[in-house]
Coordinates of all heavy atoms in Angstrom, one line a residue:
M71 N -1.8 46.2 56.6 CA -1.2 46.2 55.2 C -2.0 45.4 54.3 O -2.5 44.3 54.7 CB 0.2 45.6 55.3 CG 1.3 46.4 55.9 SD 2.8 45.6 55.7 CE 3.7 46.5 56.9
T72 N -2.1 45.8 53.1 CA -2.9 45.1 52.1 C -1.9 44.5 51.1 O -0.8 44.9 51.0 CB -3.9 46.1 51.4 OG1 -3.1 47.1 50.7 CG2 -4.8 46.7 52.3
P73 N -2.4 43.4 50.4 CA -1.5 42.8 49.4 C -0.9 43.7 48.4 O 0.2 43.5 47.9 CB -2.4 41.7 48.7 CG -3.4 41.5 49.7 CD -3.7 42.8 50.5
G74 N -1.5 44.8 48.0 CA -1.0 45.7 47.0 C -0.1 46.8 47.6 O 0.3 47.7 47.0
D75 N 0.1 46.8 48.9 CA 0.8 47.8 49.7 C 2.3 47.8 49.3 O 2.9 46.8 49.6 CB 0.6 47.7 51.2 CG 1.1 48.8 52.0 OD1 1.7 49.7 51.4 OD2 0.9 48.8 53.2
P76 N 2.9 48.9 48.8 CA 4.3 48.8 48.4 C 5.2 48.8 49.7 O 6.4 48.4 49.5 CB 4.5 50.1 47.6 CG 3.4 51.0 48.0 CD 2.3 50.1 48.4
T77 N 4.7 49.1 50.8 CA 5.6 49.0 52.0 C 5.6 47.7 52.7 O 6.2 47.5 53.7 CB 5.0 50.1 53.1 OG1 3.7 49.7 53.5 CG2 5.1 51.5 52.5
R78 N 4.8 46.7 52.1 CA 4.8 45.4 52.6 C 6.2 44.7 52.6 O 6.9 44.8 51.6 CB 3.8 44.5 51.8 CG 3.5 43.2 52.4 CD 2.4 42.5 51.6 NE 2.2 41.2 52.0 CZ 1.6 40.2 51.3 NH1 1.2 40.5 50.1 NH2 1.5 39.0 51.8
E79 N 6.6 44.1 53.7 CA 7.9 43.6 53.8 C 8.1 42.4 52.9 O 7.2 41.5 52.8 CB 8.2 43.2 55.3 CG 9.6 42.8 55.6 CD 9.8 42.4 57.0 OE1 8.8 42.5 57.8 OE2 10.9 42.1 57.4
T80 N 9.3 42.3 52.2 CA 9.6 41.2 51.3 C 11.0 40.7 51.6 O 11.8 41.4 52.3 CB 9.5 41.6 49.9 OG1 10.5 42.6 49.6 CG2 8.1 42.1 49.5
A81 N 11.3 39.6 51.1 CA 12.7 39.0 51.1 C 12.9 38.3 49.8 O 12.0 37.8 49.2 CB 12.8 38.0 52.3
R82 N 14.2 38.2 49.4 CA 14.6 37.5 48.2 C 14.4 36.0 48.5 O 14.7 35.5 49.6 CB 16.0 37.7 47.9 CG 16.4 39.0 47.3 CD 17.9 39.2 47.1 NE 18.4 38.1 46.3 CZ 19.1 38.2 45.2 NH1 19.2 39.4 44.6 NH2 19.6 37.2 44.5
I83 N 13.9 35.3 47.5 CA 13.6 33.8 47.7 C 14.8 33.0 48.0 O 14.8 32.2 48.9 CB 12.8 33.2 46.5 CG1 12.4 31.8 46.7 CG2 13.6 33.4 45.2 CD1 11.4 31.5 47.8
D84 N 16.0 33.3 47.4 CA 17.2 32.6 47.6 C 17.7 32.8 49.1 O 18.1 31.9 49.8 CB 18.3 32.9 46.6 CG 18.7 34.3 46.6 OD1 18.0 35.2 47.1 OD2 19.8 34.6 46.1
R85 N 17.6 34.0 49.5 CA 18.0 34.3 50.9 C 17.1 33.7 51.9 O 17.5 33.3 53.0 CB 18.1 35.9 51.0 CG 18.7 36.3 52.3 CD 19.2 37.8 52.3 NE 19.9 38.1 53.4 CZ 19.5 38.8 54.4 NH1 18.2 39.3 54.4 NH2 20.2 39.1 55.5
L86 N 15.8 33.8 51.6 CA 14.8 33.2 52.6 C 15.0 31.7 52.7 O 15.0 31.2 53.9 CB 13.4 33.5 52.1 CG 12.3 33.0 53.0 CD1 12.3 33.8 54.3 CD2 11.0 33.0 52.3
L87 N 15.2 31.0 51.6 CA 15.4 29.5 51.7 C 16.7 29.2 52.6 O 16.7 28.3 53.4 CB 15.6 28.9 50.3 CG 14.4 28.9 49.5 CD1 14.7 28.4 48.1 CD2 13.2 28.2 50.1
W88 N 17.7 30.0 52.5 CA 18.9 29.9 53.3 C 18.6 30.2 54.8 O 19.0 29.5 55.7 CB 20.0 30.7 52.7 CG 21.2 30.8 53.6 CD1 22.2 29.8 53.7 CD2 21.7 31.9 54.3 NE1 23.2 30.2 54.6 CE2 22.9 31.5 54.9 CE3 21.2 33.2 54.5 CZ2 23.6 32.4 55.8 CZ3 21.9 34.0 55.4 CH2 23.1 33.6 56.0
M89 N 17.9 31.3 55.0 CA 17.6 31.8 56.4 C 16.7 30.8 57.1 O 16.8 30.6 58.3 CB 17.1 33.2 56.4 CG 18.1 34.2 56.0 SD 17.4 35.8 55.8 CE 17.4 36.4 57.5
L90 N 15.8 30.2 56.4 CA 14.9 29.2 57.0 C 15.5 27.8 57.1 O 14.9 26.9 57.5 CB 13.6 29.1 56.2 CG 12.7 30.4 56.2 CD1 11.5 30.1 55.3 CD2 12.3 30.8 57.6
R91 N 16.8 27.7 56.7 CA 17.5 26.5 56.8 C 16.9 25.4 55.9 O 17.0 24.2 56.2 CB 17.7 26.0 58.2 CG 18.6 26.9 59.0 CD 18.8 26.4 60.4 NE 19.8 27.2 61.0 CZ 21.2 27.0 61.0 NH1 21.6 26.0 60.3 NH2 22.0 27.8 61.6
L92 N 16.3 25.8 54.8 CA 15.8 24.8 53.8 C 16.9 24.4 52.8 O 16.7 23.4 52.1 CB 14.6 25.4 53.1 CG 13.4 25.7 54.1 CD1 12.3 26.4 53.3 CD2 12.9 24.4 54.7
N93 N 17.9 25.2 52.7 CA 19.1 25.0 51.9 C 20.4 25.3 52.8 O 20.3 26.2 53.6 CB 19.2 25.8 50.7 CG 18.2 25.3 49.6 OD1 17.2 25.8 49.5 ND2 18.6 24.2 49.0
K94 N 21.4 24.6 52.6 CA 22.6 24.8 53.4 C 23.3 26.1 53.1 O 23.9 26.7 53.9 CB 23.6 23.7 53.3 CG 23.1 22.4 54.0 CD 24.1 21.3 54.0 CE 23.5 20.1 54.7 NZ 24.5 19.1 54.9
T95 N 23.3 26.5 51.8 CA 24.0 27.7 51.3 C 23.1 28.5 50.4 O 22.1 27.9 49.8 CB 25.3 27.4 50.6 OG1 25.0 26.7 49.4 CG2 26.3 26.6 51.5
R96 N 23.4 29.8 50.2 CA 22.6 30.6 49.3 C 22.8 30.1 47.9 O 21.9 30.1 47.0 CB 22.9 32.1 49.4 CG 22.1 32.8 50.4 CD 22.4 34.2 50.5 NE 21.7 34.9 49.4 CZ 21.8 36.2 49.2 NH1 22.5 37.0 50.1 NH2 21.2 36.8 48.2
S97 N 24.1 29.7 47.6 CA 24.3 29.2 46.2 C 23.6 27.9 45.9 O 23.1 27.7 44.8 CB 25.8 29.0 46.0 OG 26.4 28.1 46.9
A98 N 23.4 27.1 46.9 CA 22.6 25.9 46.7 C 21.1 26.2 46.5 O 20.4 25.6 45.6 CB 22.7 24.9 47.9
A99 N 20.6 27.2 47.2 CA 19.3 27.7 47.0 C 19.1 28.3 45.6 O 18.1 28.1 44.9 CB 18.9 28.8 48.0
Q100 N 20.1 29.1 45.1 CA 20.1 29.7 43.8 C 20.1 28.6 42.7 O 19.4 28.7 41.7 CB 21.3 30.6 43.6 CG 21.1 31.9 44.4 CD 22.4 32.7 44.5 OE1 23.5 32.3 44.1 NE2 22.3 34.0 44.9
A101 N 20.9 27.5 42.9 CA 20.9 26.4 41.9 C 19.5 25.8 41.8 O 19.0 25.5 40.7 CB 22.0 25.4 42.3
L102 N 18.9 25.5 43.0 CA 17.6 24.9 43.0 C 16.6 25.8 42.3 O 15.7 25.3 41.5 CB 17.1 24.7 44.5 CG 15.9 24.0 44.7 CD1 16.0 22.5 44.3 CD2 15.5 24.1 46.2
L103 N 16.7 27.1 42.5 CA 15.7 28.1 41.8 C 16.0 28.1 40.3 O 15.0 28.2 39.6 CB 15.9 29.5 42.5 CG 15.5 29.5 43.9 CD1 16.0 30.8 44.6 CD2 14.0 29.5 44.0
C104 N 17.3 28.1 39.9 CA 17.6 28.2 38.5 C 17.1 27.0 37.7 O 16.8 27.0 36.5 CB 19.1 28.4 38.3 SG 19.7 30.0 38.8
E105 N 17.0 25.8 38.4 CA 16.5 24.6 37.8 C 15.0 24.6 37.6 O 14.4 23.8 37.0 CB 16.9 23.4 38.6 CG 18.4 23.2 38.6 CD 18.9 22.1 39.6 OE1 18.0 21.6 40.3 OE2 20.1 21.9 39.7
G106 N 14.3 25.6 38.3 CA 12.9 25.7 38.1 C 12.0 24.8 39.0 O 10.9 24.5 38.7
H107 N 12.6 24.4 40.1 CA 11.9 23.4 41.0 C 11.1 24.0 42.1 O 10.4 23.3 42.8 CB 12.9 22.4 41.6 CG 13.6 21.6 40.6 ND1 13.0 20.8 39.7 CD2 14.9 21.4 40.3 CE1 13.8 20.1 39.0 NE2 15.1 20.5 39.3
V108 N 11.1 25.3 42.3 CA 10.5 26.0 43.4 C 9.3 26.8 42.8 O 9.4 27.4 41.8 CB 11.4 26.9 44.1 CG1 10.8 27.6 45.3 CG2 12.6 26.1 44.7
R109 N 8.2 26.8 43.6 CA 7.0 27.6 43.3 C 6.6 28.5 44.5 O 6.7 28.0 45.6 CB 5.9 26.7 42.9 CG 6.1 25.9 41.6 CD 4.9 25.0 41.3 NE 5.2 24.2 40.1 CZ 5.0 24.6 38.9 NH1 4.4 25.7 38.6 NH2 5.3 23.8 37.8
I110 N 6.1 29.7 44.1 CA 5.5 30.5 45.1 C 4.1 30.7 44.8 O 3.8 31.2 43.7 CB 6.2 31.9 45.2 CG1 7.7 31.8 45.5 CG2 5.5 32.8 46.2 CD1 8.5 33.1 45.4
N111 N 3.2 30.3 45.7 CA 1.8 30.4 45.5 C 1.4 29.7 44.1 O 0.5 30.2 43.4 CB 1.3 31.8 45.5 CG 1.5 32.5 46.8 OD1 1.4 31.8 47.9 ND2 1.8 33.7 46.8
G112 N 2.0 28.6 43.8 CA 1.7 27.8 42.6 C 2.3 28.3 41.3 O 2.2 27.7 40.3
R113 N 3.1 29.4 41.4 CA 3.7 30.0 40.2 C 5.2 29.7 40.3 O 5.9 29.9 41.3 CB 3.5 31.5 40.1 CG 2.0 31.8 40.0 CD 1.8 33.2 39.7 NE 2.3 33.5 38.4 CZ 2.3 34.7 37.9 NH1 2.0 35.8 38.7 NH2 2.8 35.0 36.7
R114 N 5.8 29.2 39.2 CA 7.2 28.8 39.1 C 8.1 30.1 39.3 O 7.8 31.1 38.8 CB 7.5 28.2 37.8 CG 8.9 27.7 37.7 CD 9.2 27.1 36.3 NE 8.3 26.1 36.0 CZ 8.5 24.8 36.0 NH1 9.7 24.4 36.4 NH2 7.6 23.9 35.7
V115 N 9.1 29.9 40.2 CA 10.0 31.0 40.4 C 11.0 31.1 39.2 O 11.6 30.1 38.8 CB 10.9 30.7 41.7 CG1 11.9 31.8 41.9 CG2 9.9 30.7 42.9
I116 N 11.1 32.3 38.6 CA 11.9 32.4 37.4 C 13.2 33.2 37.7 O 14.1 33.2 36.8 CB 11.1 33.1 36.3 CG1 10.6 34.4 36.8 CG2 10.0 32.2 35.8 CD1 9.9 35.3 35.7
R117 N 13.4 33.8 38.9 CA 14.6 34.5 39.2 C 14.9 34.4 40.7 O 14.0 34.3 41.5 CB 14.6 35.9 38.7 CG 13.6 36.8 39.4 CD 13.5 38.1 38.7 NE 12.9 39.1 39.5 CZ 11.6 39.3 39.7 NH1 10.7 38.4 39.1 NH2 11.1 40.2 40.5
C118 N 16.2 34.4 41.0 CA 16.6 34.2 42.4 C 16.2 35.4 43.3 O 16.1 35.3 44.5 CB 18.1 34.0 42.5 SG 18.6 32.5 41.7
S119 N 16.0 36.5 42.7 CA 15.6 37.7 43.5 C 14.1 37.9 43.6 O 13.7 39.0 44.1 CB 16.3 39.0 42.8 OG 15.7 39.1 41.5
Q120 N 13.4 36.9 43.2 CA 11.9 37.1 43.3 C 11.5 37.3 44.8 O 12.0 36.6 45.7 CB 11.2 35.8 42.8 CG 9.7 36.0 42.6 CD 9.2 35.1 41.6 OE1 9.9 34.6 40.7 NE2 7.9 34.8 41.7
P121 N 10.6 38.3 45.0 CA 10.3 38.6 46.4 C 9.3 37.6 47.0 O 8.4 37.1 46.3 CB 9.6 40.0 46.3 CG 9.1 40.1 44.9 CD 10.1 39.3 44.1
V122 N 9.4 37.4 48.3 CA 8.5 36.5 49.0 C 7.9 37.4 50.2 O 8.6 38.2 50.8 CB 9.2 35.3 49.6 CG1 8.3 34.4 50.4 CG2 9.9 34.5 48.5
H123 N 6.6 37.2 50.4 CA 6.0 37.9 51.5 C 5.5 36.9 52.6 O 5.4 35.7 52.3 CB 4.7 38.6 51.0 CG 5.0 39.6 49.9 ND1 4.9 39.2 48.5 CD2 5.3 40.9 49.8 CE1 5.2 40.2 47.8 NE2 5.5 41.2 48.5
A124 N 5.3 37.4 53.8 CA 4.7 36.6 54.8 C 3.3 36.2 54.3 O 2.6 37.0 53.7 CB 4.5 37.3 56.1
G125 N 2.9 34.9 54.5 CA 1.7 34.4 54.0 C 1.8 33.6 52.7 O 0.9 32.9 52.3
D126 N 2.9 33.7 52.0 CA 3.1 33.0 50.7 C 3.3 31.5 51.0 O 3.8 31.1 52.0 CB 4.3 33.6 50.0 CG 4.0 34.9 49.3 OD1 2.9 35.3 49.2 OD2 5.0 35.5 48.9
V127 N 2.9 30.7 50.0 CA 3.1 29.3 50.1 C 4.2 28.9 49.2 O 4.1 29.2 48.0 CB 1.8 28.5 49.8 CG1 2.0 27.0 49.7 CG2 0.7 28.9 50.8
L128 N 5.2 28.2 49.7 CA 6.3 27.7 48.9 C 6.2 26.2 48.7 O 6.0 25.5 49.6 CB 7.6 28.0 49.6 CG 7.9 29.5 50.0 CD1 9.2 29.6 50.7 CD2 7.8 30.4 48.8
T129 N 6.5 25.8 47.5 CA 6.5 24.3 47.1 C 7.9 24.1 46.6 O 8.4 24.7 45.7 CB 5.5 24.0 46.0 OG1 4.2 24.4 46.5 CG2 5.5 22.5 45.8
L130 N 8.6 23.1 47.2 CA 10.0 22.8 46.8 C 10.3 21.4 47.0 O 9.7 20.7 47.8 CB 11.0 23.7 47.6 CG 11.0 23.6 49.1 CD1 12.4 23.8 49.6 CD2 10.1 24.8 49.6
P131 N 11.3 20.8 46.2 CA 11.7 19.5 46.4 C 12.5 19.3 47.7 O 13.2 20.2 48.1 CB 12.6 19.2 45.2 CG 13.1 20.5 44.8 CD 12.1 21.5 45.2
H132 N 12.4 18.2 48.4 CA 13.1 17.9 49.6 C 13.2 16.4 49.9 O 12.2 15.7 50.0 CB 12.3 18.6 50.8 CG 13.0 18.6 52.1 ND1 14.2 19.3 52.3 CD2 12.8 17.8 53.2 CE1 14.6 19.1 53.6 NE2 13.8 18.2 54.1
D133 N 14.4 15.9 50.0 CA 14.7 14.5 50.3 C 13.9 13.5 49.4 O 13.3 12.6 49.9 CB 14.4 14.2 51.7 CG 15.4 14.9 52.7 OD1 16.5 15.2 52.2 OD2 15.0 15.2 53.8
G134 N 13.9 13.8 48.1 CA 13.3 12.9 47.2 C 11.8 13.0 47.1 O 11.1 12.2 46.5
G135 N 11.2 14.0 47.7 CA 9.8 14.3 47.7 C 9.5 15.7 47.5 O 10.3 16.5 46.9
V136 N 8.3 16.1 47.9 CA 7.9 17.5 47.8 C 7.5 18.1 49.2 O 6.9 17.4 50.0 CB 6.7 17.6 46.9 CG1 6.2 19.0 46.8 CG2 7.0 17.1 45.5
R137 N 7.9 19.3 49.4 CA 7.6 20.0 50.7 C 6.8 21.2 50.4 O 7.2 22.0 49.5 CB 8.9 20.3 51.4 CG 8.8 20.7 52.8 CD 10.2 20.8 53.4 NE 10.0 21.0 54.8 CZ 11.1 21.1 55.6 NH1 12.3 21.1 55.2 NH2 10.9 21.3 56.9
V138 N 5.7 21.4 51.1 CA 4.9 22.6 50.9 C 4.8 23.3 52.3 O 4.4 22.7 53.3 CB 3.5 22.3 50.5 CG1 2.7 23.5 50.3 CG2 3.5 21.5 49.2
I139 N 5.3 24.6 52.3 CA 5.3 25.4 53.6 C 4.6 26.7 53.3 O 4.6 27.2 52.2 CB 6.7 25.6 54.1 CG1 7.5 26.4 53.1 CG2 7.4 24.3 54.4 CD1 8.8 26.9 53.7
R140 N 4.1 27.3 54.4 CA 3.6 28.6 54.4 C 4.5 29.5 55.3 O 4.8 29.2 56.4 CB 2.2 28.7 55.0 CG 1.6 30.1 55.0 CD 0.2 30.2 55.6 NE -0.6 29.0 55.5 CZ -1.4 28.6 54.5 NH1 -1.6 29.4 53.5 NH2 -2.1 27.5 54.5
V141 N 4.9 30.6 54.7 CA 5.8 31.6 55.4 C 4.9 32.4 56.4 O 4.0 33.1 55.9 CB 6.6 32.5 54.4 CG1 7.4 33.5 55.2 CG2 7.4 31.7 53.4
L142 N 5.2 32.3 57.6 CA 4.4 33.0 58.7 C 5.0 34.4 58.8 O 4.3 35.4 58.9 CB 4.4 32.2 60.0 CG 3.9 30.8 59.9 CD1 4.0 30.1 61.3 CD2 2.4 30.9 59.5
T143 N 6.3 34.5 59.0 CA 7.0 35.8 59.2 C 8.3 35.7 58.5 O 8.9 34.6 58.3 CB 7.2 36.1 60.7 OG1 8.0 35.1 61.3 CG2 5.9 36.3 61.4
L144 N 8.9 36.8 58.1 CA 10.2 36.9 57.5 C 11.2 37.0 58.6 O 11.2 37.9 59.4 CB 10.2 38.0 56.5 CG 9.3 37.9 55.4 CD1 9.4 39.2 54.5 CD2 9.5 36.7 54.5
P145 N 12.2 36.1 58.6 CA 13.3 36.2 59.6 C 14.2 37.4 59.4 O 14.4 37.8 58.2 CB 14.0 34.9 59.5 CG 13.8 34.5 58.1 CD 12.4 35.0 57.7
A146 N 14.8 37.9 60.4 CA 15.8 39.0 60.3 C 17.2 38.4 60.2 O 18.1 39.2 59.8 CB 15.7 39.9 61.6
R147 N 17.4 37.2 60.6 CA 18.7 36.6 60.5 C 18.6 35.1 60.4 O 17.5 34.5 60.5 CB 19.5 36.9 61.8 CG 18.9 36.2 63.0 CD 19.6 36.6 64.3 NE 19.1 35.7 65.4 CZ 19.8 34.8 66.0 NH1 21.0 34.5 65.6 NH2 19.2 34.1 67.0
R148 N 19.7 34.4 60.1 CA 19.7 33.0 60.0 C 20.1 32.4 61.4 O 21.3 32.3 61.7 CB 20.7 32.5 59.0 CG 20.7 31.0 58.8 CD 21.6 30.6 57.6 NE 21.3 29.2 57.1 CZ 22.0 28.2 57.3 NH1 23.2 28.2 57.9 NH2 21.6 27.0 56.8
G149 N 19.1 32.1 62.1 CA 19.3 31.6 63.5 C 19.4 30.1 63.6 O 19.5 29.4 62.6
P150 N 19.3 29.6 64.8 CA 19.3 28.1 65.0 C 18.0 27.5 64.3 O 17.0 28.2 64.1 CB 19.3 28.0 66.5 CG 18.9 29.3 67.1 CD 19.2 30.3 66.0
P151 N 18.0 26.2 64.1 CA 16.9 25.5 63.5 C 15.5 25.7 64.1 O 14.6 25.9 63.4 CB 17.3 24.0 63.5 CG 18.8 24.0 63.5 CD 19.2 25.3 64.3
T152 N 15.5 25.8 65.4 CA 14.2 26.0 66.1 C 13.7 27.4 65.8 O 12.5 27.5 65.6 CB 14.4 25.8 67.6 OG1 15.4 26.6 68.1 CG2 14.6 24.3 68.0
E153 N 14.6 28.4 65.8 CA 14.1 29.7 65.5 C 13.7 29.8 64.0 O 12.7 30.4 63.7 CB 15.3 30.7 65.7 CG 14.9 32.1 65.4 CD 16.1 33.1 65.6 OE1 16.9 32.8 66.5 OE2 16.2 34.0 64.8
A154 N 14.4 29.2 63.1 CA 14.1 29.2 61.7 C 12.7 28.5 61.5 O 11.9 29.0 60.7 CB 15.1 28.4 60.9
H155 N 12.4 27.4 62.2 CA 11.2 26.7 62.0 C 10.0 27.5 62.5 O 8.9 27.3 62.1 CB 11.2 25.3 62.7 CG 10.0 24.5 62.4 ND1 9.8 23.9 61.1 CD2 9.0 24.1 63.1 CE1 8.7 23.3 61.1 NE2 8.2 23.4 62.3
S156 N 10.2 28.4 63.4 CA 9.1 29.2 64.0 C 8.6 30.3 62.9 O 7.6 30.9 63.1 CB 9.6 30.0 65.2 OG 10.5 31.0 64.9
H157 N 9.3 30.5 61.8 CA 8.9 31.4 60.8 C 8.1 30.8 59.7 O 7.6 31.5 58.8 CB 10.2 32.1 60.2 CG 10.9 33.0 61.1 ND1 10.5 34.2 61.5 CD2 12.1 32.8 61.8 CE1 11.3 34.7 62.3 NE2 12.3 33.9 62.5
Y158 N 7.9 29.5 59.7 CA 7.0 28.8 58.7 C 6.3 27.7 59.3 O 6.6 27.2 60.4 CB 7.8 28.4 57.5 CG 8.8 27.3 57.7 CD1 8.5 26.0 57.6 CD2 10.1 27.6 58.1 CE1 9.4 24.9 57.8 CE2 11.1 26.6 58.3 CZ 10.7 25.2 58.1 OH 11.6 24.2 58.4
E159 N 5.2 27.3 58.6 CA 4.5 26.1 59.0 C 4.5 25.1 57.9 O 4.4 25.5 56.7 CB 3.1 26.4 59.5 CG 2.1 26.9 58.3 CD 0.7 27.1 58.8 OE1 0.3 26.6 59.8 OE2 0.0 27.9 58.1
E160 N 4.6 23.8 58.2 CA 4.6 22.7 57.2 C 3.2 22.5 56.9 O 2.3 22.1 57.7 CB 5.2 21.5 57.9 CG 5.6 20.4 56.9 CD 6.9 20.6 56.3 OE1 7.8 21.2 56.9 OE2 7.1 20.1 55.2
I161 N 2.8 22.6 55.6 CA 1.5 22.3 55.1 C 1.4 20.8 54.7 O 0.5 20.1 55.0 CB 1.1 23.2 54.0 CG1 1.0 24.6 54.4 CG2 -0.2 22.8 53.4 CD1 0.7 25.6 53.4
E162 N 2.5 20.4 53.9 CA 2.5 19.1 53.4 C 3.9 18.7 53.1 O 4.7 19.5 52.7 CB 1.7 19.0 52.1 CG 1.5 17.6 51.5 CD 0.7 17.7 50.3 OE1 0.0 18.7 50.0 OE2 0.7 16.7 49.6
S163 N 4.2 17.4 53.4 CA 5.6 16.9 53.1 C 5.3 15.5 52.6 O 4.9 14.6 53.3 CB 6.5 16.9 54.3 OG 7.7 16.5 53.9
V164 N 5.6 15.2 51.3 CA 5.4 13.9 50.7 C 6.7 13.4 50.2 O 7.4 14.0 49.4 CB 4.4 14.1 49.5 CG1 4.2 12.7 48.8 CG2 3.1 14.7 49.9
S165 N 7.1 12.2 50.7 CA 8.3 11.5 50.3 C 7.9 10.5 49.3 O 6.9 9.8 49.4 CB 9.1 10.9 51.4 OG 9.5 11.9 52.3
Q166 N 8.8 10.3 48.2 CA 8.5 9.3 47.2 C 9.5 8.1 47.5 O 10.7 8.3 47.5 CB 8.7 9.8 45.8 CG 7.8 10.9 45.5 CD 8.1 11.5 44.1 OE1 9.1 11.3 43.5 NE2 7.2 12.4 43.7
Q167 N 8.9 7.0 47.8 CA 9.8 5.8 48.1 C 9.9 5.0 46.8 O 9.0 4.8 46.1 CB 9.1 4.9 49.2 CG 8.9 5.6 50.5 CD 10.2 5.9 51.2 OE1 11.2 5.2 51.1 NE2 10.3 7.0 51.9
A168 N 11.1 4.6 46.5 CA 11.4 3.8 45.3 C 10.9 2.4 45.4 O 10.8 1.8 46.4 CB 12.9 3.8 45.0

């Protein structure tokens, strides 16, 4: 598959954040997205239905800092934390101490 291939598998960003257990609920993910705090490949997410592909880099706030992850594969379900973590790799996680 090539990046311009229309058959390339995608997932909604709000649903993906929930399935990867980066947010407890889809509504919490949607709130985070509406506030403009999430980026896909360096570009600000402007809608909750924005598609995400395997290989995309997500930047999002997490525990008072910033978390950068690369999506390896798109999950088919919201499984246990170990299964969710197998679908992405942590690139960077920076916490800001007061």
Side-chain angles (χ1 to χ4, degrees):
M71 285 186 201
T72 61
D75 189 356
T77 61
R78 188 173 176 201
E79 188 177 359
T80 64
R82 285 176 55 118
I83 182 69
D84 61 341
R85 188 163 188 256
L86 181 70
L87 292 177
W88 173 72
M89 291 174 82
L90 293 179
R91 294 184 170 269
L92 298 172
N93 286 102
K94 290 186 179 189
T95 64
R96 273 184 76 178
S97 59
Q100 290 170 347
L102 187 68
L103 294 163
C104 288
E105 293 169 2
H107 296 304
V108 179
R109 296 179 182 271
I110 299 175
N111 298 325
R113 299 185 70 188
R114 186 180 304 258
V115 174
I116 55 173
R117 63 188 199 281
C118 296
S119 63
Q120 190 156 337
V122 179
H123 305 91
D126 285 347
V127 175
L128 306 179
T129 306
L130 57 145
H132 187 72
D133 292 335
V136 177
R137 190 172 191 182
V138 182
I139 63 167
R140 181 182 333 270
V141 178
L142 302 175
T143 58
L144 298 177
R147 67 185 187 109
R148 186 175 199 248
T152 53
E153 180 182 323
H155 189 70
S156 70
H157 292 285
Y158 66 91
E159 67 178 337
E160 191 87 29
I161 296 175
E162 185 177 347
S163 183
V164 179
S165 295
Q166 297 175 351
Q167 300 293 328

